[in-house]
Amino acid sequence: MTRLTALLGLELPLLQAGMGAVAGPALCVEVSRAGAGGTLALYKEPPARAAHLVREVAAAARGRPFGVNVIPEVTGPDRCLEQLRAVLPELPRNAFVTVFGLPADDAARTVRAAGHPLVVQVGTAADADTALARGAVVLVLQGTEAGGHLLGRQPVESLLATVRSRHPHAVLAVAGGIATGEDLADAVARGADGAMAGTLFVPAAESAAHPEFKRRVVEAVAEDTLITSLFEIGWPHRPHRVLHNSLTAAAERAPAAFIATTQVDGRPYPVPRYSAAAPGVTTTGRIQEMAMYCGRSCSRVTAPRPAALTIARIRREYENARASRADSHTSTFPAPHRIQEK
Ligand SMILES: Cc1cc2nc3c(=O)[nH]c(=O)nc-3n(C[C@H](O)[C@H](O)[C@H](O)COP(=O)(O)O)c2cc1C
């Protein structure tokens, strides 16, 4: 349907964002089986465990393409390369690699040499140029509407316009503000080849997010989110969009303390107050004080349901929106109303 679907072998031009503590094997597999681009978050996973998780996804994905996601800024370039070297031999031929921020030259080269499409998320036009120079075949352009850590300062529509005019033939997906098929059709009409969505999938039945995190995303509207730099322990110097909570509302910094415990590979890890870690299903403690990354698209994110149903709904909405746009060129009927915000 678009260059993105053709390039990655998808049925719908939609990628699910890799999301630490949220996008484990279950979500990735369900999204991919439903025809979109499921993605496994490797975040800080040790290389051996990352390889194990990839094998689990590959065995369950029924041949559908899926992605693995790395964050060089969090792991550091050496660990990122180790993660890639561990997982690349486990990836099926049709799998792709998504990188949050620019990959180092050797990481990019390693992915390309293994024959997998390199998908790089950027937030500025300059980084878009660099990512293409390093061999990215898909750019994900992240706007400031997005949930999670922010790579730039431009809203998605203007970033897309800038990068599209500089790179008329590049395969571009947008990230930020996508929760419905209408949103996706809008992005494609503005010159994107597709989109990446994160917040949309946080409440999915297969997401590993903590139930309280899911509930808050479903109930939230865009105005309940804000950009802050508060949750910097473990990932400093990168502003992020989160749901407001008692820490974001406080006038003064609260004392340093461990506020929760999370399990990684069966082992408990203490979570300090102001940690970048998001609450997952195995986290216990003061969940409300943790970083709940959430984009402005939450206004249009509804009750938790299996990811396959969400993808089916988006596919229907997208096809209807595309068809009515095509019709509106030839008839005088008005376009259908947009889906109402909550
Ligand atoms: C809960 C959450 C966790 C995220 N974690 C990651 C991550 O581990 N790796 C990554 O590449 N992007 C991550 N992101 C950012 C996404 O890649 C993407 O920019 C964002 O989800 C798009 O905006 P949206 O959430 O409004 O759809 C995360 C986003 C959210 C909401």
Side-chain angles (χ1 to χ4, degrees):
M1 287 190 287
T2 70
R3 288 183 294 186
L4 182 72
T5 56
L7 187 72
L8 300 183
L10 308 176
E11 292 171 7
L12 186 70
L14 182 68
L15 302 174
Q16 164 247 311
M19 292 178 278
V22 174
L27 182 62
C28 171
V29 165
E30 283 310 304
V31 169
S32 283
R33 280 187 186 169
T39 302
L40 178 69
L42 298 186
Y43 193 53
K44 296 181 182 178
E45 296 291 357
R49 188 173 138 81
H52 169 80
L53 295 173
V54 169
R55 281 195 291 276
E56 190 181 326
V57 172
R62 298 199 187 125
R64 299 297 313 161
F66 67 89
V68 291
N69 170 253
V70 291
I71 315 179
E73 183 172 86
V74 162
T75 54
D78 295 345
R79 187 63 157 184
C80 180
L81 201 54
E82 283 170 26
Q83 284 179 324
L84 288 170
R85 288 192 175 132
V87 301
L88 286 169
E90 309 293 343
L91 289 179
R93 288 184 69 80
N94 60 356
F96 52 93
V97 174
T98 73
V99 186
F100 187 80
L102 290 174
D105 268 327
D106 51 358
R109 221 177 305 117
T110 302
V111 172
R112 290 198 328 262
H116 297 285
L118 177 62
V119 179
V120 177
Q121 186 166 180
V122 295
T124 66
D127 281 356
D129 299 348
T130 309
L132 289 173
R134 291 189 188 166
V137 293
V138 177
L139 294 183
V140 178
L141 306 176
Q142 188 204 45
T144 45
E145 302 87 340
H149 291 77
L150 296 177
L151 292 160
R153 292 167 176 222
Q154 242 179 303
V156 76
E157 191 170 338
S158 74
L159 182 62
L160 172 63
T162 311
V163 176
R164 178 53 84 208
S165 69
R166 283 157 88 126
H167 302 286
H169 305 297
V171 181
L172 305 179
V174 294
I178 304 293
T180 69
E182 278 275 338
D183 296 336
L184 184 58
D186 280 350
V188 170
R190 287 197 306 268
D193 300 291
M196 175 181 278
T199 301
L200 170 68
F201 293 107
V202 171
E206 300 84 359
S207 138
H210 191 280
E212 183 62 10
F213 185 10
K214 295 185 180 189
R215 183 186 68 77
R216 285 218 52 207
V217 169
V218 168
E219 289 179 0
V221 293
E223 290 67 32
D224 296 322
T225 72
L226 75 160
I227 299 175
T228 174
S229 294
L230 273 183
F231 299 98
E232 33 89 48
I233 297 180
W235 190 346
H237 316 304
R238 181 62 72 188
H240 32 273
R241 185 179 287 281
V242 293
L243 289 169
H244 73 78
N245 68 9
S246 60
L247 297 186
T248 65
E252 284 179 14
R253 195 171 171 92
F258 289 113
I259 57 164
T261 305
T262 203
Q263 305 282 324
V264 180
D265 211 5
R267 277 201 299 257
Y269 284 85
V271 179
R273 187 176 270 142
Y274 300 112
S275 166
V281 69
T282 63
T283 312
T284 53
R286 301 166 76 104
I287 305 297
Q288 285 287 1
E289 278 188 36
M290 291 181 66
M292 296 193 194
Y293 302 107
C294 182
R296 291 183 58 85
S297 59
C298 63
S299 295
R300 299 181 302 288
V301 170
T302 48
R305 21 182 12 209
L309 293 185
T310 299
I311 306 265
R313 180 214 4 123
I314 290 192
R315 193 193 291 230
R316 266 194 320 275
E317 292 167 353
Y318 176 69
E319 282 165 5
N320 289 342
R322 299 286 291 165
S324 68
R325 272 156 222 252
D327 279 355
S328 69
H329 288 299
T330 53
S331 80
T332 53
F333 289 112
H337 289 298
R338 291 172 153 277
I339 291 169
Q340 292 293 309
E341 292 209 348
K342 281 183 287 205

